[in-house]
Amino acid sequence: MTEVTSVDHIIIAVRDLGEAEKNYTAIFGREPSWKGVHPGVGTGNVLYRLANTYVELYAPVAEGANADALKKRLDEVGEGLYGIVLGVEDAAAATEAFNARGLKSGAPVEGSGRDEITGAIRKWRTIAMPADQVRGLFMLGIQHLSPADALPPAPLSAGVSEAEAVPGCDHVVVMTPDAEACKQLFGDKLGIRLALDQTKPEWGVRQLFFRVGGLTIEVVESLDKSKAPKTERFWGLAWKVANVGAVAGRLAKAGLDVSEVRVGRKEGTEVATIRKATNGVPTLLVGPA
């Protein structure tokens, strides 16, 4: 059994937490689960726990080393999808397994956070994954030491029904110049199941679909090398919904820029694109046709 059990959470880098919270509360149709700070390092976050992952809006809020690194990243590439954190049941065992497979990760480190909404405390252990070991991507491993309900599900916003809200994430998109290298990283080293490897000349891409914890990591390589990025990067997100038309309609009424509903590439689905405001993340709604 793989040591990675989930995409525990997805990190979106933003400049202004208040503005980003407004945007993602509108997108999800849900209120935040948690609002916190990282004492001594200068960053803060707003969290939304969904059915199969949680989303972390991550911003510099004070002086500190992490805030400096994040500001540098924001200045260089702007807001957008920053990274993912992979859930593990036992951080020590997972670290040993990663190292045995050739991914030289750091020893587990204890961490904790406090919720500014309720005062609740959560504790965890993280596994550092140096950038040179994971093709420059920002990834960590995490073992939660607190009960799952220490981070409560994001509640529906007033006046929003479940049919109009976002319950979970369908997939995270990684753009790559080298699908084979990503196959090694996510499959061989991290031990995540490769569900599908397909080349679509009509779309101009090769796609790898890694599946874990009810969520897909989709790796995309352009068949036109001139269009491929020079290095890997986390790129976009697709949100799983029960009714694309209902969610798109709610978002349009709320003033977001949303496309028309159209037939999805996957058989039996329909999709719509959220163009603004997503804090720099290419964003899709996907649901049954």
Side-chain angles (χ1 to χ4, degrees):
M1 179 181 172
T2 179
E3 287 76 21
V4 174
T5 58
S6 66
V7 176
D8 183 81
H9 62 283
I10 296 162
I11 306 173
I12 300 172
V14 303
R15 294 185 185 279
D16 184 320
L17 268 183
E19 178 190 10
E21 178 187 336
K22 179 181 175 183
N23 292 340
Y24 278 86
T25 295
I27 289 170
F28 296 145
R30 299 180 184 277
E31 300 299 315
S33 302
W34 182 281
K35 297 183 185 183
V37 295
H38 305 118
V41 296
T43 50
N45 60 17
V46 174
L47 311 182
Y48 298 82
R49 180 180 160 199
L50 304 177
N52 60 348
T53 191
Y54 71 88
V55 175
E56 176 177 6
L57 306 177
Y58 180 56
V61 296
E63 296 301 315
N66 288 15
D68 291 343
L70 183 54
K71 286 176 187 174
K72 184 174 184 291
R73 192 263 190 198
L74 289 166
D75 289 343
E76 288 175 352
V77 300
E79 295 184 312
L81 189 51
Y82 187 73
I84 61 174
V85 180
L86 301 171
V88 301
E89 292 182 357
D90 183 322
T95 300
E96 185 176 341
F98 296 152
N99 279 276
R101 294 179 190 144
L103 195 162
K104 304 304 179 187
S105 56
V109 176
E110 305 282 327
S112 66
R114 180 180 181 276
D115 180 18
E116 294 184 338
I117 303 172
T118 65
I121 301 289
R122 290 187 301 128
K123 296 185 178 182
W124 54 78
R125 291 190 184 106
T126 56
I127 305 167
M129 296 182 182
D132 64 358
Q133 295 290 304
V134 290
R135 300 192 60 76
L137 295 169
F138 182 87
M139 289 196 288
L140 299 170
I142 191 167
Q143 174 193 355
H144 287 285
L145 303 178
S146 302
D149 59 4
L151 181 64
L156 290 171
S157 298
V160 177
S161 69
E162 279 291 350
E164 299 170 313
V166 170
C169 182
D170 190 80
H171 60 276
V172 179
V173 180
V174 181
M175 305 299 286
T176 179
D178 189 341
E180 279 301 318
C182 283
K183 197 172 183 177
Q184 265 196 337
L185 171 61
F186 288 102
D188 298 342
K189 294 183 177 180
L190 289 170
I192 301 174
R193 180 176 68 90
L194 177 61
L196 180 64
D197 178 351
Q198 67 178 15
T199 298
K200 290 285 188 179
E202 64 271 32
W203 301 341
V205 297
R206 178 183 176 189
Q207 297 166 297
L208 308 177
F209 296 88
F210 295 91
R211 187 81 172 160
V212 63
L215 193 152
T216 299
I217 301 170
E218 178 185 350
V219 176
V220 180
E221 177 186 6
S222 175
L223 300 180
D224 181 346
K225 299 303 180 185
S226 69
K227 294 181 180 178
K230 292 181 180 178
T231 61
E232 276 74 15
R233 62 189 176 102
F234 287 108
W235 183 72
L237 294 168
W239 302 112
K240 182 187 303 183
V241 298
N243 186 321
V244 174
V247 178
R250 174 183 61 79
L251 294 176
K253 285 180 184 177
L256 279 76
D257 183 0
V258 187
S259 76
E260 74 290 343
V261 177
R262 59 194 186 277
V263 175
R265 283 182 169 178
K266 184 177 179 181
E267 187 175 352
T269 66
E270 57 185 17
V271 299
T273 303
I274 306 176
R275 293 185 283 249
K276 293 180 181 177
T278 64
N279 296 88
V281 181
T283 301
L284 196 70
L285 300 173
V286 58

